[in-house]
Amino acid sequence: MVSHLRWGAGMARVKSVGKVEIPHWPALDGLRGLAVAAVLLFHAGFGWARGGYLGVSAFFTLSGFLITTLLLTEWRETGRVSLQRFWSRRLRRLMPVALVALAGIVVFGAVVADPDQVRGLRADVLAALGYSANWRFIFSGQSYAAQFQASSPVLHFWSLAIEEQFYLCFPLLALLALRLRGRRGLSVTLVVLSAGSIAMGRWLLDTGASPDRLYYGTDTRAFELLFGALLAVALAGSPSPRRRVSRLALQGGGALALLAMIVLWATLAQSDRWLHRGGLLVHAVLTALVVASAVQPAGPVRALLGRASLRRLGLFLWLDADRTGLSRLPLFALRAGVTVALAACSYRLLERPIRDGRRLTGRRPWAVAPAGAVAVCVALVVVTASPPQPAIVYSAVLDHPARVSPQSVLSAPAASVPSSSAPAASAPASSARPIRIMVVGDSVGQTVGRGIERLAIRTGAAVVSNSALGWCAIGRGGVVHLFDTGTLDQRGCRDWSERWNISGFHPDVVVVLSTLWEIAPREQPQWDGVRRFGEPDYDRWLWSEYLAMTAYVSSQGARVVWLTAPCAEPAQSRARFWSNDVGELAALVRLNRMVSALPAAVAPARLRVIDLFAHVCPRGEFTQRLGDVDNARPDGMHFSDAGADWVAEWLCPELLDNAAACSNRLPPHS
C-alpha cells in the first residue's frame, strides 16, 4: 500500500509549458510531505497512524489538481494542448526512476528475496513496467497471500499504475471536452466520470467484491484524481475568491479540513467498512478543500504546509525488524533516514537533471526508456529462470481425492503424484478396506492435510479428501475484520454441505483444523456492530456453530477428530490480526479450551480432540524445529510439506484403522 511517493514531485519550482508558466505553491509541497510522513508511520506499524495509508489518497487528489492545472493553463494561454509534450514530460518524470527502482528490485530478487517473491517476480515486474501493477495484484490476490508471506517487492507500484493510467487517458478526454464545450464541457465530463467511479465502487461493494478489488481498482479510485481535476477547473484563472468573506471562509474551511484529514489518518483502519462506504469519498473532499486553501495568497493552511521541514520529507520500504534487530522507534528512525537519503540522491542526481533537460535531451529519452526496459526484462528472465520451490504449498496433493484410491496412486507412474510428495518407495496396499478421511478447516488445515494425503499414499490404508479451504472458518457467515488490512466476506465460504461434499465422499473420519479465522473480529447480521472473540455474543455464536457442525458430520456417519490450533510465531499474527489489547497466544489458548470442551457436550464416541498445540508448541512457545525437521513452519503459521509429514506421522495411529501401516515411515527430509 505504499505509494510511489516522489521527492519534490510536481511543482518544485515554476513550471513551464512551452512559454506558459504556472505558479509554485510551497504549501502543496508541504501537503505532499505530510502525506509521505503518514504513509511512513502507517507502514512502521504505529497504532496511532492506522489511517496513514490515506496519504496515498491525498496524492491522488493532488495529482489530479496539478495535472489538470497544467492542461488548462496551456489551453488558456495557447488555445491547444500538446499531448506529445505532456506525455514526454511524464516519461521524463517517472520512467527513469521507475527503471532504476525495478533494476534494483531484480537485483533484490537475485540476492535476498524469499522463494515466494522470486516465483512471482517476473509477472510483478512486467506489470510494473506496463503500469498495470494494481490489476496484477487484484487478479493474483497478493495482499491476502501477504498475510503470511512476504509481499511483492513492487507492491508500491500499484498507486503509480493508477496515476499513469490516468495520465494516459485523461488528457485525451480533457482535450476532447475542451474542444467541444470548453471548461463547462470539461466540468460536466469530470462530474459524470466521478459519479461513475463512485457508483462502480458501491456496486462492487454491494455485490461482495473483495477489499483488494475496491482498494486497488483504477475504476473505484479514479474519483479521487477526478476530484482534484474538478478543483483545478473551479480555480482556473482565479484561484482566490474576490470577496474577503469568501476568502476567510475558504481559509477557515481548509484548516478544519486539514484537521479532519489528520484525524482520519490517525483513526481510520483499512479494516473499517466505512472506508468504502464513504470514507474515501469524504477524504477526497477534505483533500480538495485543503488544496484549495493551500493555493490561497495567505491563510493558516498555506503558512503551516509551506514550512520547509514538511517539504523535505521522502519515501521508504524494505528494512524491517527481522533484518535489523531494532525495535519500533529506532527502526523507524533508520528507515526514514535511509529513505530520505535515497530519495534526495535520486532527485538531485537523476530525476531533476532529466526533468530539467540537462540529461537525455532531444530524442534520446525515447530510445533510452525502451532500452532500459529491455535490459530490466533480460535481467528479470535470468533471475527468474529457475525459481525455487515454494516453502509452503496450499493445494491438495491429489486433484480428485474422492475418485482416486491409494492402490491406483501407488501403481501409477511417478508423474501422477507431485514430485514434492512422491514417496521414495511404494508400500504394499493394505488388504483391509481403506479408511476414508476428510480434512477440513482453513489454510493451516490445508497444509496439514497434505501431510495426511501423503501418509495415505505411503500406507495404502486410507483415501483422503483434503477439503480445507484457505480464509474460511468453521463458523459460518458474516464479515471478518483483519486489523489494518481490510475485511473479508465469509459468505463466500458457503455452507459445510456445499464446501466439503461429505455426502459425496462418505468419510469415516473428518479431521478439523481451523485457526485464526475462527477468532478474528467479525460482523454478523444479528449483531449490532463488530464482535470479538471473548465477548459473550461471539462466544455463544461460535460454540453453537461448532455444535452444529459436529451434529452435521455425525449425521453423515463420520466421527470427528478435532485438532487444537497451534501457536503462531508472535511477530506474525499479532501485527496482522489482533488489536493492541488482545494477544494472539491468549486468544488461541482460549479457542483451544472451547474446542476441548466439545466432547463433553457432544459425546466422546462422536468427537475426539487431539492437542496439536501442545505437540508443536512445547511449553506454549513457537518453534521452527519439529523432531528432525527444520523450518517446519516457514511463515510462522502454516506447515511445510516436511512439517506436515511430521504431524501426519504423529497422528497416524489416531487416524488409521490399520495402525500397523504407520510403521512405514517416510524418508527423512533434508
Side-chain angles (χ1 to χ4, degrees):
M1 292 142 214
V2 180
S3 174
H4 192 78
L5 308 179
R6 299 174 294 279
W7 179 281
M11 307 294 295
R13 54 172 56 192
V14 171
K15 204 67 171 153
S16 296
V17 183
K19 296 183 179 180
V20 179
E21 294 184 347
I22 63 175
H24 168 225
W25 294 295
L28 296 187
D29 293 335
L31 176 60
R32 184 182 300 108
L34 199 63
V36 171
V39 175
L40 291 175
L41 293 167
F42 169 75
H43 284 283
F46 292 103
W48 45 266
R50 60 171 51 91
Y53 62 91
L54 289 169
V56 176
S57 297
F59 264 79
F60 283 160
T61 304
L62 182 56
S63 294
F65 172 78
L66 293 173
I67 290 302
T68 308
T69 299
L70 283 169
L71 295 173
L72 289 175
T73 301
E74 184 175 5
W75 175 263
R76 185 179 67 249
E77 298 296 332
T78 68
R80 60 189 293 270
V81 171
S82 173
L83 295 177
Q84 179 180 353
R85 186 184 296 118
F86 176 86
W87 287 324
S88 176
R89 287 196 305 269
R90 302 276 64 76
L91 184 69
R92 284 176 171 277
R93 179 70 190 88
L94 298 174
M95 182 57 75
V97 182
L99 287 175
V100 170
L102 291 174
I105 287 169
V106 173
V107 173
F108 166 86
V111 178
V112 297
D114 70 18
D116 292 316
Q117 290 174 318
V118 174
R119 279 193 308 279
L121 193 64
R122 183 177 298 182
D124 289 352
V125 170
L126 290 176
L129 272 173
Y131 292 121
S132 58
N134 61 319
W135 293 105
R136 156 72 177 163
F137 299 136
I138 287 172
F139 294 130
S140 63
Q142 288 204 34
S143 71
Y144 273 121
Q147 294 295 328
F148 294 101
Q149 299 172 6
S151 60
S152 166
V154 301
L155 186 61
H156 57 293
F157 274 77
W158 75 268
S159 60
L160 180 60
I162 291 178
E163 288 194 19
E164 282 299 310
Q165 292 158 30
F166 177 79
Y167 297 156
L168 178 63
C169 299
F170 177 70
L172 293 170
L173 294 173
L175 181 57
L176 179 62
L178 287 170
R179 284 180 175 175
L180 293 177
R181 296 287 182 178
R183 279 175 52 193
R184 184 184 298 274
L186 180 57
S187 298
V188 172
T189 300
L190 292 174
V191 169
V192 170
L193 292 175
S194 299
S197 174
I198 295 168
M200 173 62 76
R202 185 65 192 215
W203 178 75
L204 288 171
L205 179 66
D206 291 342
T207 54
S210 71
D212 291 345
R213 174 65 183 87
L214 296 166
Y215 193 81
Y216 290 136
T218 306
D219 50 354
T220 55
R221 302 299 297 270
F223 73 88
E224 295 170 275
L225 288 143
L226 294 169
F227 275 26
L230 271 170
L231 177 64
V233 174
L235 299 182
S238 180
S240 182
R242 296 179 181 179
R243 297 178 60 187
R244 184 172 182 273
V245 173
S246 299
R247 289 197 301 272
L248 292 176
L250 180 57
Q251 293 169 6
L256 292 176
L258 179 60
L259 178 61
M261 281 177 60
I262 293 174
V263 169
L264 290 178
W265 291 357
T267 60
L268 186 59
Q270 281 186 298
S271 60
D272 196 318
R273 297 187 73 187
W274 183 67
L275 178 67
H276 296 292
R277 294 184 181 275
L280 288 174
L281 176 60
V282 169
H283 186 272
V285 172
L286 294 174
T287 305
L289 284 172
V290 172
V291 171
S293 184
V295 300
Q296 299 306 304
V301 172
R302 177 187 173 95
L304 175 63
L305 295 182
R307 298 176 66 87
S309 57
L310 286 177
R311 289 153 50 197
R312 294 193 179 109
L313 288 172
L315 150 85
F316 94 147
L317 188 55
W318 182 59
L319 296 172
D320 59 23
D322 290 338
R323 291 184 174 93
T324 64
L326 297 176
S327 59
R328 180 170 294 172
L329 283 174
L331 176 61
F332 175 73
L334 174 65
R335 296 165 95 179
V338 170
T339 294
V340 170
L342 290 175
C345 290
S346 171
Y347 173 65
R348 296 188 179 277
L349 301 179
L350 182 64
E351 298 175 56
R352 186 172 175 180
I354 292 175
R355 190 183 66 195
D356 292 348
R358 286 180 280 151
R359 297 178 185 170
L360 299 182
T361 58
R363 297 181 180 273
R364 279 183 289 176
W366 300 100
V368 170
V374 169
V376 169
C377 289
V378 170
L380 180 66
V381 170
V382 172
V383 169
T384 60
S386 299
Q389 291 297 313
I392 300 169
V393 181
Y394 296 95
S395 60
V397 172
L398 300 174
D399 291 335
H400 304 289
R403 297 195 293 273
V404 180
S405 69
Q407 290 83 358
S408 66
V409 171
L410 292 169
S411 62
S416 66
V417 179
S419 59
S420 64
S421 60
S426 297
S430 171
S431 58
R433 169 190 175 275
I435 189 171
R436 303 180 74 80
I437 301 172
M438 176 174 281
V439 181
V440 303
D442 59 13
S443 56
V444 181
Q446 281 179 311
T447 58
V448 169
R450 286 180 57 84
I452 297 174
E453 287 184 272
R454 288 157 56 85
L455 173 74
I457 293 171
R458 172 175 62 84
T459 63
V463 177
V464 177
S465 172
N466 189 354
S467 298
L469 185 60
W471 312 328
C472 286
I474 301 300
R476 296 165 294 181
V479 175
V480 169
H481 285 246
L482 311 178
F483 284 107
D484 296 330
T485 58
T487 60
L488 184 67
D489 194 335
Q490 288 268 301
R491 290 175 297 182
C493 292
R494 300 176 297 169
D495 195 65
W496 311 308
S497 58
E498 300 176 16
R499 198 192 314 173
W500 301 335
N501 191 27
I502 289 182
S503 59
F505 183 65
H506 301 296
D508 301 299
V509 177
V510 172
V511 178
V512 183
L513 177 56
S514 194
T515 58
L516 297 176
W517 299 101
E518 303 297 325
I519 48 181
R522 184 184 298 251
E523 285 184 85
Q524 290 284 7
Q526 67 270 27
W527 298 339
D528 180 18
V530 179
R531 296 290 185 272
R532 291 169 172 79
F533 183 65
E535 296 178 357
D537 285 347
Y538 194 113
D539 289 0
R540 282 193 295 268
W541 163 77
L542 188 59
W543 178 254
S544 67
E545 287 291 284
Y546 284 1
L547 293 178
M549 189 278 284
T550 303
Y552 168 70
V553 171
S554 299
S555 71
Q556 302 296 311
R559 61 185 176 90
V560 176
V561 173
W562 205 309
L563 308 181
T564 59
C567 64
E569 189 172 17
Q572 184 58 262
S573 55
R574 184 168 59 238
R576 296 293 184 183
F577 285 90
W578 311 107
S579 64
N580 293 330
D581 58 345
V582 179
E584 162 267 321
L585 182 61
L588 287 175
V589 168
R590 181 183 177 89
L591 174 68
N592 290 337
R593 288 201 197 101
M594 179 181 289
V595 169
S596 298
L598 284 169
V602 176
R606 294 165 55 192
L607 185 148
R608 180 172 182 194
V609 175
I610 297 179
D611 197 353
L612 178 63
F613 180 101
H615 194 60
V616 302
C617 304
R619 299 177 301 280
E621 299 174 355
F622 177 86
T623 176
Q624 280 286 10
R625 184 172 180 84
L626 300 178
D628 61 352
V629 178
D630 289 321
N631 201 29
R633 303 174 70 192
D635 65 358
M637 193 68 197
H638 302 88
F639 291 84
S640 66
D641 271 357
D645 289 339
W646 184 85
V647 171
E649 288 190 55
W650 170 66
L651 289 173
C652 187
E654 304 292 339
L655 300 180
L656 299 187
D657 289 339
N658 180 14
C662 295
S663 61
N664 297 322
R665 296 182 58 82
L666 284 167
H669 291 272
S670 58

